[in-house]
Amino acid sequence: MDKDLEDGLLERIFMFHAIENNARLDGRSNECYRSPEIFLGINENCLGSARCTMGGSDVMVVIKPDIYKLTKEPTWEDYIKFYVTCSPVAHPKYDDVGDDNDIEGEEVSSTEESIMVDALMAMFSSIKDEMDFSNFRISKKHIWTFVVDVVVHADNGGVFDCMAIAVRGAFADVQVPRIISTMIDYGEVGLEIDSDVTFWKCRWDLWPLICTTNKLGFENLVSCNRYEDKYVKSLLMIGLKHDEVKDGDIIDYEDMNYDISKHIFYAKMRKEGGLQILSIDDMTDLGIKVVLKMFSEVDKLIRDCLEKKDKKSNTVSNRSITYV
Amino acid sequence: MNNTFSLGDYAKTNIREGIRQRSDDLIVVIPGQKLNLDNDDIRGSGIIDVNGTSVSTVCGVLTKVNKLIKVNPYGGVYNGEVGDVVVGRVVEVQQRRWKLDISSRQEALLNFTNFQLPGIKNQRRNLNDELALQSLLVRGDLISGEIHSIYQDGTILLQTRSSKYGKLGKGILVKVPFYLVTRSKTHLFKHEKGVSFVFGCNGNIWVYPYDPKNSDLAIGWSSDPHNNVPRDLMLDTIRFANCVKILATYHLDINDWTVSKAYEFSQGYDLKDISLPPVIHNVAVKVLDEMKKNGMFNK
């Protein structure tokens, strides 16, 4: 069994002293994040899927579009639904469902899942104005609804960052068949798949990323692992919107006149400790710097995966032509 | 960063290569595999008798020492043996003993009478000492010790026989699979850079800076919380700990020689890059080449 025990006093002091010298126990500096790996198209039974591993944390996102029949005019909340599951083997703190506890209190996994759903709704709420919902509408009564399932397979810190990257990748992978609505007698509406079997894609570059900035002593850390996360008293999660970063684009936070109030959509303080105003400013700056770097890396990884996917599809097409 | 690099692919290739090298002399068995043993062979752990036929029960390597045949598992839970040096964490303080988590099936026990205080020798324990010892080690503290005995029901009893073992101080604990740490005579190793190691047989490896004045004590640098480790020594400790992680990632044997080699090869990289997959791969491949040169795969 995996016990999540606290360390001894001298062990903690050694770690704090290392962090004060800008060297963490895995060698990174305080502002270094762990490089993500993105895999698209991992699940063939859905129309879009992605998996992101980031320093031991592992999040899988699966998108299953459904056709819903509505009786009223749809709002933006009807187009995407989010569900989050934290696996019990991801972290010992999630293995608390069904525990026979006499002490009343909410389960850690349920709390974490609901906070994640709130973060995803905040992400979607921030981009609903730029998103084009015309493809989601099939007829006056039928719409596509994207059911987004998020599963946390491993939690080694930075799960919200990992989840945001995986959602961005999943929407890059999604392909929805085009549905044509036809009029049948007596006012009924029939739905047919286009005979050309064409697909439409979502704009994935709208989806924002999240950076978690942790406060440990007087230092600000990004991308804490599970070991450091035990001693974090307060943390600040920054969500940031940005367009797709092309190759060669280098975003430097100091050089650009960045309007923060128009792009930060999510800021959440967690854990029991408080934060001073100056710390919030420093952590916000650090979070924005790291998120802009992550945008460059994540978008390049997504484009590489999409390029591989196109090559694979072309091979299948050529094989079909050969048989004919 | 090289985006075409994938740690999983290189790890698979490397592990396959390593197993291929080892499998010249080793026999790898799987559960349920029939073993054609001689009649006078003694079956050890990992082998059971089914209808007169010897069958292995674990995935591992078949080893034979004279008449004793057993299977050393490549996984599973650590089974203690008497005399092993282990590093464990206190999970409970009871009336006269501590319970330690050493990654085995049961928690190990450390009696107050088997614990030796530094500087105090050959004294009997009485009630006042028991009350004082309860607060000496609290939940979460790390202890290094030897396995004193193993009872019939599998309970492991530890002891700290000398001042080399005992409560551990400032340092880094690295958890590796237990089968990577081979049993040897030297599980306590001092590097010339000022960093010491405790290679626990249960896979817990303690990397800590040692004080030249008290170099034989288990506490390491100092028991004073305000006595800080110098910066260079601390960075070396962190680098050594990451070298142990590199060896564990690529399933290479972990002993004092391989850790020293990994440290030499990691000197060419910056400390903040030491956990990047390309750096891990380069260091591990160099260590693997050195192991091949020194004949560590031809026993």
Side-chain angles (χ1 to χ4, degrees), chain B residues 41-99:
Chain B
D41 285 331
I42 301 172
R43 292 190 304 272
S45 64
I47 301 173
I48 60 169
D49 186 73
V50 175
N51 295 331
T53 308
S54 298
V55 175
S56 64
T57 58
V58 293
C59 285
V61 177
L62 193 73
T63 55
K64 181 175 183 178
V65 181
N66 294 325
K67 294 299 178 182
L68 175 69
I69 298 187
K70 64 174 186 175
V71 181
N72 287 325
Y74 264 117
V77 193
Y78 167 68
N79 292 309
E81 287 185 10
V82 176
D84 278 352
V85 179
V86 294
V87 175
R89 197 179 287 280
V90 177
V91 295
E92 201 176 340
V93 183
Q94 291 183 346
Q95 186 72 30
R96 289 176 180 164
R97 61 194 180 195
W98 297 282
K99 276 194 168 183

Side-chain angles (χ1 to χ4, degrees), chain B residues 112-282:
Chain B
F112 289 174
T113 52
N114 291 110
F115 186 76
Q116 177 173 343
L117 289 167
I120 303 174
K121 294 177 182 178
N122 296 330
Q123 284 191 9
R124 295 179 61 88
R125 304 277 191 259
N126 50 29
L127 183 60
N128 289 329
D129 287 336
E130 284 180 8
L131 293 177
L133 280 171
Q134 279 181 0
S135 60
L136 178 67
L137 297 174
V138 298
R139 189 173 191 259
D141 278 343
L142 269 185
I143 299 172
S144 68
E146 274 184 339
I147 293 182
H148 180 60
S149 56
I150 300 176
Y151 293 148
Q152 284 293 319
D153 57 353
T155 304
I156 297 173
L157 197 67
L158 296 186
Q159 66 169 357
T160 58
R161 183 164 48 92
S162 63
S163 60
K164 296 185 294 182
Y165 309 113
K167 181 180 176 179
L168 303 175
K170 298 178 177 179
I172 304 170
L173 179 73
V174 186
K175 292 189 176 183
V176 302
F178 70 93
Y179 46 86
L180 297 182
V181 184
T182 53
R183 287 181 177 85
S184 62
K185 291 181 180 177
T186 56
H187 280 275
L188 310 178
F189 170 60
K190 286 196 196 66
H191 197 267
E192 59 191 16
K193 280 281 184 171
V195 179
S196 284
F197 295 85
V198 178
F199 294 107
C201 290
N202 59 332
N204 287 345
I205 293 174
W206 179 247
V207 188
Y208 64 104
Y210 70 89
D211 194 359
K213 298 188 290 291
N214 304 311
S215 60
D216 280 337
L217 293 183
I219 200 71
W221 185 253
S222 178
S223 60
D224 188 2
H226 303 288
N227 193 350
N228 276 331
V229 182
R231 180 187 153 90
D232 291 337
L233 189 52
M234 182 183 60
L235 297 182
D236 277 338
T237 307
I238 293 172
R239 186 180 285 270
F240 270 106
N242 282 279
C243 289
V244 174
K245 287 179 196 172
I246 288 170
L247 298 176
T249 303
Y250 276 71
H251 270 69
L252 302 175
D253 287 341
I254 294 172
N255 49 55
D256 47 349
W257 186 83
T258 53
V259 173
S260 303
K261 284 294 170 187
Y263 179 80
E264 281 180 38
F265 297 134
S266 73
Q267 290 278 67
Y269 301 97
D270 207 358
L271 183 62
K272 69 180 192 302
D273 297 327
I274 206 172
S275 57
L276 292 179
V279 178
I280 289 175
H281 174 67
N282 289 331

Side-chain angles (χ1 to χ4, degrees), chain B residues 19-63:
Chain B
I19 291 175
R20 190 190 309 120
Q21 286 291 325
R22 295 162 197 257
S23 66
D24 292 340
D25 299 323
L26 305 178
I27 302 171
V28 180
V29 297
I30 58 172
Q33 184 171 330
K34 291 188 173 65
L35 311 171
N36 300 315
L37 305 183
D38 296 335
N39 288 328
D40 51 349
D41 285 331
I42 301 172
R43 292 190 304 272
S45 64
I47 301 173
I48 60 169
D49 186 73
V50 175
N51 295 331
T53 308
S54 298
V55 175
S56 64
T57 58
V58 293
C59 285
V61 177
L62 193 73
T63 55

